Amino acid sequence: MRTEVDVDGAYMEKRKKSDVKAKRMSRIKKILTYAAFVGPALLFFLTIQIVPFIMGVSYSFTSWNGVSSAVEWVGLDNYIKIFTDDSKFFNSFVFTTKFMLAAVFISNIIGFGLALLLNIALKTKNILRTVFFIPNVIGGLLLGFIWQFIFIKGFASVGNLTGLSFFNQPWLGDEVTAFWGIVIVFAWQISGYMMVIYIAALQSVDKNLLDAAKIDGASSVRMLGSIIIPLILPAFTICFFLTISMAFKIFDLNISLTGGGPFNSTESVAINIYQEAFQNNRYGLGSAKSILFFIVVAIFTTVQVMTTKKKEVEA
């Protein structure tokens, strides 16, 4: 006969097995749920981003022309050629870096200024937000052709009517004015997007802090520098990251406005890589340039994020 201890032991063993099975089923259910939601996005990310990136890295060590089936392995020859015999690529890097610095500064100044303006109680603020954001939804190629007409025809007409030399300059025909022309159009396009991010950050600032500062006699400028900006530093981190990456990767706006001219003085790195790979049929060399470009952009954005994140902690 089975004793009471044996019965209790069998019951506890059965209960333990049941709990283990339930936990296993719960874990499997959770994994399947995650896979159902994350799986498709992960699959597309791997297919569209990771796999092409790995292929690009491998092609950068070849002399493939992008057309034939013959792929010759050349090792580091493409990278050596870039550093020793490709001044055009480095000139495009210099232009892109200068453009990035100017565009990031101007775009964020305008975006933050518009956010401050539209954060106050204006009756038309919702309409103005839409108006300022609309340029961001216009495609870069279309926007470039629109502003090309404005610079060539519109500014010339205004200059003839007013006699102002500012409008009569060869905006897209001179190296200096073409550079600033691209900066103006980029800032005009992207500032509305930055404005939306800054407005969201400004609306999260505790009004009680501002009211207390006013009672203590703080001016608007003092509140802006000592309270508002330190509290919305995460928004600056995001906006700087976005504008740096967008400015570095400028292509469609650049190619539709100037095409890299005059005399390749406004040729961005993206245009240089495009011409190398798809016009000169040197896909291997173009891939090597794109990998170097990726490394530089990654370094710039990483340093920027680390620096601004440190400021957030200090604030």
Side-chain angles (χ1 to χ4, degrees):
M1 294 181 63
R2 299 178 64 185
T3 64
E4 186 176 346
V5 176
D6 293 336
V7 173
D8 291 341
Y11 173 77
M12 292 300 295
E13 186 68 24
K14 185 177 180 181
R15 180 70 180 271
K16 186 177 180 180
K17 290 181 179 179
S18 178
D19 290 343
V20 171
K21 185 177 180 181
K23 288 181 180 178
R24 186 184 297 115
M25 293 300 296
S26 177
R27 192 181 299 111
I28 293 173
K29 184 179 179 180
K30 187 180 292 185
I31 292 172
L32 291 176
T33 302
Y34 287 156
F37 284 99
V38 181
L42 182 61
L43 178 62
F44 279 110
F45 180 74
L46 290 172
T47 305
I48 298 173
Q49 296 288 341
I50 303 301
V51 173
F53 177 78
I54 295 173
M55 294 176 64
V57 173
S58 64
Y59 282 132
S60 69
F61 298 104
T62 69
S63 62
W64 186 43
N65 60 12
V67 179
S68 67
S69 58
V71 180
E72 182 183 355
W73 183 269
V74 295
L76 295 175
D77 287 358
N78 289 328
Y79 293 95
I80 294 173
K81 184 176 181 179
I82 292 172
F83 283 103
T84 58
D85 189 30
D86 200 338
S87 59
K88 188 179 177 182
F89 178 67
F90 281 97
N91 291 336
S92 68
F93 236 119
V94 172
F95 163 78
T96 306
T97 304
K98 292 192 299 183
F99 168 79
M100 181 272 297
L101 294 173
V104 168
F105 177 76
I106 295 174
S107 299
N108 282 280
I109 288 293
I110 296 175
F112 184 60
L114 293 175
L116 289 174
L117 176 65
L118 299 182
N119 194 48
I120 61 178
L122 292 175
K123 292 183 178 180
T124 58
K125 64 181 181 180
N126 291 329
I127 297 175
L128 291 174
R129 287 176 187 176
T130 304
V131 170
F132 291 139
F133 185 76
I134 283 177
N136 186 70
V137 302
I138 303 176
L141 282 174
L142 179 60
L143 198 64
F145 289 126
I146 292 172
W147 272 90
Q148 187 183 70
F149 174 81
I150 293 173
F151 281 129
I152 296 174
K153 300 293 184 181
F155 276 24
S157 299
V158 174
N160 293 332
L161 289 173
T162 61
L164 297 174
S165 59
F166 174 82
F167 295 100
N168 286 323
Q169 298 182 69
W171 275 96
L172 301 181
D174 180 76
E175 178 180 350
V176 177
T177 54
F179 170 83
W180 287 110
I182 300 172
V183 172
I184 289 170
V185 179
F186 179 87
W188 184 79
Q189 180 188 27
I190 209 67
S191 295
Y193 187 26
M194 301 301 106
M195 174 198 71
V196 172
I197 298 174
Y198 285 127
I199 287 177
L202 289 171
Q203 290 179 345
S204 67
V205 175
D206 190 353
K207 304 300 180 186
N208 294 327
L209 290 175
L210 302 179
D211 293 338
K214 287 180 181 178
I215 293 173
D216 290 339
S219 65
S220 298
V221 176
R222 182 65 182 275
M223 287 192 295
L224 179 64
S226 301
I227 299 176
I228 296 176
I229 290 180
L231 288 176
I232 65 169
L233 278 177
F236 282 96
T237 300
I238 296 171
C239 290
F240 285 156
F241 174 81
L242 291 175
T243 47
I244 287 174
S245 59
M246 290 177 182
F248 261 124
K249 296 184 295 184
I250 186 173
F251 175 77
D252 48 0
L253 195 63
N254 190 191
I255 203 168
S256 59
L257 265 176
T258 64
F263 306 109
N264 299 320
S265 61
T266 62
E267 182 182 278
S268 66
V269 177
I271 291 180
N272 183 275
I273 293 172
Y274 168 79
Q275 291 176 343
E276 194 72 75
F278 300 106
Q279 291 185 358
N280 300 335
N281 289 331
R282 292 195 287 250
Y283 197 90
L285 185 58
S287 297
K289 289 183 177 182
S290 67
I291 298 302
L292 292 175
F293 185 42
F294 166 79
I295 294 172
V296 171
V297 175
I299 291 173
F300 264 89
T301 52
T302 302
V303 171
Q304 174 263 311
V305 170
M306 291 175 63
T307 303
T308 50
K309 279 289 184 182
K310 187 184 297 183
K311 295 292 183 181
E312 290 177 28
V313 175
E314 292 175 356

